[in-house]
Amino acid sequence: LGYCYLVLGRLPEGFELLYRSLRVLRRHRFERQVASAPLDLCFGHLEISRYRTAKRHGLEALRLAEQTGDSQIKKNALYLLGEASHLLGQEDDARRFFDLLQTYFPESPHIADFLLAVNVRQLINLRA
């Protein structure tokens, strides 16, 4: 629900629900589900131009996704981390994250170059 609020532009409500959800999931040690909250927070902070905070949450989502073997969250985290790094002017990090994302799209060999050139964040749906 928090992610939906972010997408709808209801940012304060979205952030409140996501942070509350993150606390509850951590408290009850729902390891598998907890990765989606920092991923959504990464997305939300990108939307409000808080790129450093977005990257911090994205790194947490990536760590948890790798720990739990959740490839969908890992793929989305790599994309958002590449975007956050690019917006921070950290081109080496951006390319590294986008190159890792490339492994999910072997039929499209220039994903990193494309994502560094075009902002497609508005087309991404983390729940699709």
Side-chain angles (χ1 to χ4, degrees):
L1 185 57
Y3 171 73
C4 291
Y5 279 159
L6 293 178
V7 171
L8 292 171
R10 295 171 62 178
L11 300 174
E13 296 151 302
F15 279 116
E16 180 183 341
L17 286 173
L18 288 170
Y19 279 112
R20 189 179 335 158
S21 147
L22 185 58
R23 285 190 300 273
V24 169
L25 291 168
R26 282 183 176 155
R27 185 177 327 123
H28 294 288
R29 300 174 202 247
F30 291 124
E31 303 273 329
R32 185 111 176 121
Q33 295 81 4
V34 77
S36 65
L39 181 71
D40 295 343
L41 286 165
C42 177
F43 171 82
H45 285 288
L46 280 172
E47 290 298 297
I48 60 171
S49 303
R50 294 182 66 191
Y51 307 133
R52 287 192 196 295
T53 303
K55 190 170 179 181
R56 182 172 46 85
H57 285 293
L59 288 168
E60 176 70 2
L62 179 61
R63 183 186 68 77
L64 291 166
E66 288 175 338
Q67 198 173 64
T68 61
D70 192 321
S71 63
Q72 186 64 36
I73 288 184
K74 181 178 178 180
K75 180 171 70 170
N76 288 333
L78 289 170
Y79 169 72
L80 293 178
L81 282 165
E83 182 74 7
S85 297
H86 179 64
L87 293 168
L88 284 165
Q90 300 169 348
E91 298 306 317
D92 289 343
D93 279 356
R95 177 151 308 271
R96 184 172 50 89
F97 290 123
F98 288 149
D99 284 343
L100 289 169
L101 183 65
Q102 177 68 61
T103 62
Y104 290 92
F105 304 98
E107 71 286 350
S108 302
H110 302 289
I111 291 290
D113 294 327
F114 174 73
L115 292 173
L116 286 167
V118 177
N119 178 4
V120 293
R121 192 170 67 240
Q122 300 304 320
L123 305 175
I124 299 298
N125 181 342
L126 300 179
R127 297 293 177 259

PDB file of all heavy atoms in Angstrom, residues 39-63:
ATOM      1  N   LEU A  39      13.345  -1.440  -0.776  1.00  0.00           N
ATOM      2  CA  LEU A  39      13.272  -1.229  -2.223  1.00  0.00           C
ATOM      3  C   LEU A  39      12.269  -0.116  -2.533  1.00  0.00           C
ATOM      4  O   LEU A  39      12.549   0.804  -3.302  1.00  0.00           O
ATOM      5  CB  LEU A  39      12.865  -2.518  -2.934  1.00  0.00           C
ATOM      6  CG  LEU A  39      12.793  -2.418  -4.446  1.00  0.00           C
ATOM      7  CD1 LEU A  39      14.194  -2.301  -5.038  1.00  0.00           C
ATOM      8  CD2 LEU A  39      12.069  -3.620  -5.014  1.00  0.00           C
ATOM      9  N   ASP A  40      11.104  -0.181  -1.906  1.00  0.00           N
ATOM     10  CA  ASP A  40      10.080   0.853  -2.110  1.00  0.00           C
ATOM     11  C   ASP A  40      10.552   2.203  -1.581  1.00  0.00           C
ATOM     12  O   ASP A  40      10.277   3.245  -2.184  1.00  0.00           O
ATOM     13  CB  ASP A  40       8.770   0.454  -1.438  1.00  0.00           C
ATOM     14  CG  ASP A  40       8.143  -0.780  -2.070  1.00  0.00           C
ATOM     15  OD1 ASP A  40       8.522  -1.155  -3.196  1.00  0.00           O
ATOM     16  OD2 ASP A  40       7.258  -1.378  -1.425  1.00  0.00           O
ATOM     17  N   LEU A  41      11.263   2.194  -0.466  1.00  0.00           N
ATOM     18  CA  LEU A  41      11.799   3.443   0.082  1.00  0.00           C
ATOM     19  C   LEU A  41      12.853   4.026  -0.850  1.00  0.00           C
ATOM     20  O   LEU A  41      12.919   5.250  -1.025  1.00  0.00           O
ATOM     21  CB  LEU A  41      12.369   3.218   1.476  1.00  0.00           C
ATOM     22  CG  LEU A  41      11.313   3.023   2.564  1.00  0.00           C
ATOM     23  CD1 LEU A  41      11.940   2.449   3.827  1.00  0.00           C
ATOM     24  CD2 LEU A  41      10.599   4.335   2.847  1.00  0.00           C
ATOM     25  N   CYS A  42      13.645   3.183  -1.460  1.00  0.00           N
ATOM     26  CA  CYS A  42      14.623   3.646  -2.450  1.00  0.00           C
ATOM     27  C   CYS A  42      13.896   4.363  -3.584  1.00  0.00           C
ATOM     28  O   CYS A  42      14.268   5.477  -3.962  1.00  0.00           O
ATOM     29  CB  CYS A  42      15.415   2.459  -2.971  1.00  0.00           C
ATOM     30  SG  CYS A  42      16.602   2.857  -4.266  1.00  0.00           S
ATOM     31  N   PHE A  43      12.870   3.740  -4.110  1.00  0.00           N
ATOM     32  CA  PHE A  43      12.071   4.338  -5.180  1.00  0.00           C
ATOM     33  C   PHE A  43      11.501   5.695  -4.737  1.00  0.00           C
ATOM     34  O   PHE A  43      11.613   6.694  -5.448  1.00  0.00           O
ATOM     35  CB  PHE A  43      10.936   3.396  -5.581  1.00  0.00           C
ATOM     36  CG  PHE A  43       9.953   3.999  -6.517  1.00  0.00           C
ATOM     37  CD1 PHE A  43      10.216   4.054  -7.880  1.00  0.00           C
ATOM     38  CD2 PHE A  43       8.759   4.523  -6.051  1.00  0.00           C
ATOM     39  CE1 PHE A  43       9.307   4.628  -8.754  1.00  0.00           C
ATOM     40  CE2 PHE A  43       7.841   5.089  -6.914  1.00  0.00           C
ATOM     41  CZ  PHE A  43       8.117   5.152  -8.272  1.00  0.00           C
ATOM     42  N   GLY A  44      10.898   5.734  -3.559  1.00  0.00           N
ATOM     43  CA  GLY A  44      10.291   6.965  -3.062  1.00  0.00           C
ATOM     44  C   GLY A  44      11.288   8.087  -2.891  1.00  0.00           C
ATOM     45  O   GLY A  44      11.027   9.232  -3.268  1.00  0.00           O
ATOM     46  N   HIS A  45      12.449   7.772  -2.359  1.00  0.00           N
ATOM     47  CA  HIS A  45      13.464   8.814  -2.160  1.00  0.00           C
ATOM     48  C   HIS A  45      14.037   9.296  -3.485  1.00  0.00           C
ATOM     49  O   HIS A  45      14.390  10.476  -3.609  1.00  0.00           O
ATOM     50  CB  HIS A  45      14.542   8.340  -1.194  1.00  0.00           C
ATOM     51  CG  HIS A  45      14.079   8.341   0.231  1.00  0.00           C
ATOM     52  ND1 HIS A  45      13.878   9.493   0.951  1.00  0.00           N
ATOM     53  CD2 HIS A  45      13.735   7.331   1.059  1.00  0.00           C
ATOM     54  CE1 HIS A  45      13.448   9.195   2.164  1.00  0.00           C
ATOM     55  NE2 HIS A  45      13.348   7.887   2.252  1.00  0.00           N
ATOM     56  N   LEU A  46      14.080   8.428  -4.479  1.00  0.00           N
ATOM     57  CA  LEU A  46      14.465   8.887  -5.821  1.00  0.00           C
ATOM     58  C   LEU A  46      13.444   9.895  -6.337  1.00  0.00           C
ATOM     59  O   LEU A  46      13.807  10.897  -6.955  1.00  0.00           O
ATOM     60  CB  LEU A  46      14.559   7.707  -6.795  1.00  0.00           C
ATOM     61  CG  LEU A  46      15.815   6.876  -6.742  1.00  0.00           C
ATOM     62  CD1 LEU A  46      15.673   5.635  -7.621  1.00  0.00           C
ATOM     63  CD2 LEU A  46      17.023   7.686  -7.164  1.00  0.00           C
ATOM     64  N   GLU A  47      12.183   9.619  -6.079  1.00  0.00           N
ATOM     65  CA  GLU A  47      11.121  10.498  -6.557  1.00  0.00           C
ATOM     66  C   GLU A  47      11.198  11.904  -5.959  1.00  0.00           C
ATOM     67  O   GLU A  47      10.763  12.859  -6.586  1.00  0.00           O
ATOM     68  CB  GLU A  47       9.744   9.886  -6.256  1.00  0.00           C
ATOM     69  CG  GLU A  47       9.431   8.668  -7.093  1.00  0.00           C
ATOM     70  CD  GLU A  47       9.383   8.980  -8.578  1.00  0.00           C
ATOM     71  OE1 GLU A  47       8.518   9.775  -8.983  1.00  0.00           O
ATOM     72  OE2 GLU A  47      10.221   8.428  -9.318  1.00  0.00           O
ATOM     73  N   ILE A  48      11.729  12.015  -4.753  1.00  0.00           N
ATOM     74  CA  ILE A  48      11.814  13.339  -4.112  1.00  0.00           C
ATOM     75  C   ILE A  48      13.247  13.878  -4.115  1.00  0.00           C
ATOM     76  O   ILE A  48      13.583  14.767  -3.335  1.00  0.00           O
ATOM     77  CB  ILE A  48      11.217  13.331  -2.687  1.00  0.00           C
ATOM     78  CG1 ILE A  48      11.949  12.361  -1.778  1.00  0.00           C
ATOM     79  CG2 ILE A  48       9.716  13.038  -2.733  1.00  0.00           C
ATOM     80  CD1 ILE A  48      11.557  12.468  -0.303  1.00  0.00           C
ATOM     81  N   SER A  49      14.077  13.308  -4.980  1.00  0.00           N
ATOM     82  CA  SER A  49      15.455  13.775  -5.196  1.00  0.00           C
ATOM     83  C   SER A  49      16.350  13.642  -3.967  1.00  0.00           C
ATOM     84  O   SER A  49      17.286  14.421  -3.792  1.00  0.00           O
ATOM     85  CB  SER A  49      15.455  15.227  -5.692  1.00  0.00           C
ATOM     86  OG  SER A  49      14.701  15.337  -6.867  1.00  0.00           O
ATOM     87  N   ARG A  50      16.092  12.664  -3.130  1.00  0.00           N
ATOM     88  CA  ARG A  50      16.964  12.367  -1.988  1.00  0.00           C
ATOM     89  C   ARG A  50      17.796  11.146  -2.370  1.00  0.00           C
ATOM     90  O   ARG A  50      17.547  10.041  -1.916  1.00  0.00           O
ATOM     91  CB  ARG A  50      16.138  12.142  -0.732  1.00  0.00           C
ATOM     92  CG  ARG A  50      15.414  13.428  -0.313  1.00  0.00           C
ATOM     93  CD  ARG A  50      14.624  13.273   0.934  1.00  0.00           C
ATOM     94  NE  ARG A  50      15.539  13.032   2.048  1.00  0.00           N
ATOM     95  CZ  ARG A  50      15.118  12.639   3.242  1.00  0.00           C
ATOM     96  NH1 ARG A  50      13.838  12.449   3.485  1.00  0.00           N
ATOM     97  NH2 ARG A  50      16.003  12.429   4.209  1.00  0.00           N
ATOM     98  N   TYR A  51      18.768  11.390  -3.242  1.00  0.00           N
ATOM     99  CA  TYR A  51      19.484  10.309  -3.901  1.00  0.00           C
ATOM    100  C   TYR A  51      20.375   9.510  -2.954  1.00  0.00           C
ATOM    101  O   TYR A  51      20.489   8.295  -3.092  1.00  0.00           O
ATOM    102  CB  TYR A  51      20.292  10.854  -5.079  1.00  0.00           C
ATOM    103  CG  TYR A  51      19.457  11.665  -6.034  1.00  0.00           C
ATOM    104  CD1 TYR A  51      19.888  12.902  -6.498  1.00  0.00           C
ATOM    105  CD2 TYR A  51      18.206  11.214  -6.462  1.00  0.00           C
ATOM    106  CE1 TYR A  51      19.127  13.652  -7.377  1.00  0.00           C
ATOM    107  CE2 TYR A  51      17.428  11.962  -7.343  1.00  0.00           C
ATOM    108  CZ  TYR A  51      17.901  13.181  -7.787  1.00  0.00           C
ATOM    109  OH  TYR A  51      17.132  13.924  -8.640  1.00  0.00           O
ATOM    110  N   ARG A  52      21.016  10.176  -2.006  1.00  0.00           N
ATOM    111  CA  ARG A  52      21.872   9.444  -1.064  1.00  0.00           C
ATOM    112  C   ARG A  52      21.038   8.502  -0.192  1.00  0.00           C
ATOM    113  O   ARG A  52      21.427   7.355   0.043  1.00  0.00           O
ATOM    114  CB  ARG A  52      22.659  10.403  -0.185  1.00  0.00           C
ATOM    115  CG  ARG A  52      23.773  11.105  -0.908  1.00  0.00           C
ATOM    116  CD  ARG A  52      24.722  11.830   0.043  1.00  0.00           C
ATOM    117  NE  ARG A  52      25.560  12.783  -0.642  1.00  0.00           N
ATOM    118  CZ  ARG A  52      26.483  12.488  -1.545  1.00  0.00           C
ATOM    119  NH1 ARG A  52      26.676  11.241  -1.882  1.00  0.00           N
ATOM    120  NH2 ARG A  52      27.197  13.415  -2.129  1.00  0.00           N
ATOM    121  N   THR A  53      19.910   8.994   0.281  1.00  0.00           N
ATOM    122  CA  THR A  53      19.024   8.161   1.089  1.00  0.00           C
ATOM    123  C   THR A  53      18.469   7.023   0.241  1.00  0.00           C
ATOM    124  O   THR A  53      18.367   5.883   0.700  1.00  0.00           O
ATOM    125  CB  THR A  53      17.884   9.009   1.681  1.00  0.00           C
ATOM    126  OG1 THR A  53      18.456  10.077   2.442  1.00  0.00           O
ATOM    127  CG2 THR A  53      16.977   8.184   2.571  1.00  0.00           C
ATOM    128  N   ALA A  54      18.138   7.323  -1.008  1.00  0.00           N
ATOM    129  CA  ALA A  54      17.651   6.283  -1.920  1.00  0.00           C
ATOM    130  C   ALA A  54      18.709   5.194  -2.078  1.00  0.00           C
ATOM    131  O   ALA A  54      18.403   3.998  -2.009  1.00  0.00           O
ATOM    132  CB  ALA A  54      17.308   6.894  -3.279  1.00  0.00           C
ATOM    133  N   LYS A  55      19.954   5.600  -2.277  1.00  0.00           N
ATOM    134  CA  LYS A  55      21.020   4.620  -2.479  1.00  0.00           C
ATOM    135  C   LYS A  55      21.216   3.758  -1.231  1.00  0.00           C
ATOM    136  O   LYS A  55      21.408   2.545  -1.328  1.00  0.00           O
ATOM    137  CB  LYS A  55      22.316   5.326  -2.869  1.00  0.00           C
ATOM    138  CG  LYS A  55      23.388   4.361  -3.322  1.00  0.00           C
ATOM    139  CD  LYS A  55      24.572   5.080  -3.935  1.00  0.00           C
ATOM    140  CE  LYS A  55      25.637   4.088  -4.370  1.00  0.00           C
ATOM    141  NZ  LYS A  55      26.799   4.763  -4.952  1.00  0.00           N
ATOM    142  N   ARG A  56      21.129   4.378  -0.068  1.00  0.00           N
ATOM    143  CA  ARG A  56      21.276   3.619   1.188  1.00  0.00           C
ATOM    144  C   ARG A  56      20.203   2.534   1.282  1.00  0.00           C
ATOM    145  O   ARG A  56      20.495   1.376   1.581  1.00  0.00           O
ATOM    146  CB  ARG A  56      21.203   4.571   2.385  1.00  0.00           C
ATOM    147  CG  ARG A  56      21.383   3.878   3.725  1.00  0.00           C
ATOM    148  CD  ARG A  56      21.495   4.868   4.874  1.00  0.00           C
ATOM    149  NE  ARG A  56      20.527   5.932   4.876  1.00  0.00           N
ATOM    150  CZ  ARG A  56      19.292   5.845   5.386  1.00  0.00           C
ATOM    151  NH1 ARG A  56      18.880   4.730   5.935  1.00  0.00           N
ATOM    152  NH2 ARG A  56      18.480   6.886   5.365  1.00  0.00           N
ATOM    153  N   HIS A  57      18.949   2.906   0.993  1.00  0.00           N
ATOM    154  CA  HIS A  57      17.866   1.921   1.051  1.00  0.00           C
ATOM    155  C   HIS A  57      18.010   0.879  -0.059  1.00  0.00           C
ATOM    156  O   HIS A  57      17.718  -0.306   0.144  1.00  0.00           O
ATOM    157  CB  HIS A  57      16.502   2.611   0.951  1.00  0.00           C
ATOM    158  CG  HIS A  57      16.101   3.303   2.202  1.00  0.00           C
ATOM    159  ND1 HIS A  57      15.814   2.637   3.372  1.00  0.00           N
ATOM    160  CD2 HIS A  57      15.948   4.622   2.483  1.00  0.00           C
ATOM    161  CE1 HIS A  57      15.490   3.506   4.318  1.00  0.00           C
ATOM    162  NE2 HIS A  57      15.577   4.718   3.797  1.00  0.00           N
ATOM    163  N   GLY A  58      18.481   1.299  -1.220  1.00  0.00           N
ATOM    164  CA  GLY A  58      18.685   0.362  -2.320  1.00  0.00           C
ATOM    165  C   GLY A  58      19.748  -0.674  -1.993  1.00  0.00           C
ATOM    166  O   GLY A  58      19.592  -1.858  -2.313  1.00  0.00           O
ATOM    167  N   LEU A  59      20.829  -0.234  -1.357  1.00  0.00           N
ATOM    168  CA  LEU A  59      21.875  -1.179  -0.957  1.00  0.00           C
ATOM    169  C   LEU A  59      21.356  -2.185   0.067  1.00  0.00           C
ATOM    170  O   LEU A  59      21.699  -3.372   0.020  1.00  0.00           O
ATOM    171  CB  LEU A  59      23.092  -0.425  -0.404  1.00  0.00           C
ATOM    172  CG  LEU A  59      23.917   0.328  -1.443  1.00  0.00           C
ATOM    173  CD1 LEU A  59      24.909   1.269  -0.762  1.00  0.00           C
ATOM    174  CD2 LEU A  59      24.628  -0.643  -2.382  1.00  0.00           C
ATOM    175  N   GLU A  60      20.508  -1.716   0.963  1.00  0.00           N
ATOM    176  CA  GLU A  60      19.891  -2.616   1.952  1.00  0.00           C
ATOM    177  C   GLU A  60      18.980  -3.622   1.247  1.00  0.00           C
ATOM    178  O   GLU A  60      18.992  -4.815   1.552  1.00  0.00           O
ATOM    179  CB  GLU A  60      19.116  -1.813   2.997  1.00  0.00           C
ATOM    180  CG  GLU A  60      18.374  -2.656   4.006  1.00  0.00           C
ATOM    181  CD  GLU A  60      19.276  -3.391   4.998  1.00  0.00           C
ATOM    182  OE1 GLU A  60      20.499  -3.239   4.952  1.00  0.00           O
ATOM    183  OE2 GLU A  60      18.731  -4.139   5.828  1.00  0.00           O
ATOM    184  N   ALA A  61      18.177  -3.158   0.301  1.00  0.00           N
ATOM    185  CA  ALA A  61      17.294  -4.063  -0.452  1.00  0.00           C
ATOM    186  C   ALA A  61      18.109  -5.098  -1.219  1.00  0.00           C
ATOM    187  O   ALA A  61      17.776  -6.288  -1.230  1.00  0.00           O
ATOM    188  CB  ALA A  61      16.406  -3.268  -1.406  1.00  0.00           C
ATOM    189  N   LEU A  62      19.208  -4.667  -1.840  1.00  0.00           N
ATOM    190  CA  LEU A  62      20.063  -5.583  -2.585  1.00  0.00           C
ATOM    191  C   LEU A  62      20.684  -6.627  -1.660  1.00  0.00           C
ATOM    192  O   LEU A  62      20.692  -7.826  -1.967  1.00  0.00           O
ATOM    193  CB  LEU A  62      21.159  -4.806  -3.318  1.00  0.00           C
ATOM    194  CG  LEU A  62      22.146  -5.632  -4.136  1.00  0.00           C
ATOM    195  CD1 LEU A  62      21.435  -6.403  -5.240  1.00  0.00           C
ATOM    196  CD2 LEU A  62      23.223  -4.725  -4.726  1.00  0.00           C
ATOM    197  N   ARG A  63      21.174  -6.185  -0.526  1.00  0.00           N
ATOM    198  CA  ARG A  63      21.778  -7.110   0.445  1.00  0.00           C
ATOM    199  C   ARG A  63      20.768  -8.166   0.884  1.00  0.00           C
ATOM    200  O   ARG A  63      21.047  -9.365   0.892  1.00  0.00           O
ATOM    201  CB  ARG A  63      22.302  -6.340   1.660  1.00  0.00           C
ATOM    202  CG  ARG A  63      23.015  -7.219   2.688  1.00  0.00           C
ATOM    203  CD  ARG A  63      23.391  -6.447   3.936  1.00  0.00           C
ATOM    204  NE  ARG A  63      22.242  -6.027   4.720  1.00  0.00           N
ATOM    205  CZ  ARG A  63      21.539  -6.847   5.513  1.00  0.00           C
ATOM    206  NH1 ARG A  63      21.852  -8.120   5.613  1.00  0.00           N
ATOM    207  NH2 ARG A  63      20.522  -6.394   6.206  1.00  0.00           N
TER     208      ARG A  63
END
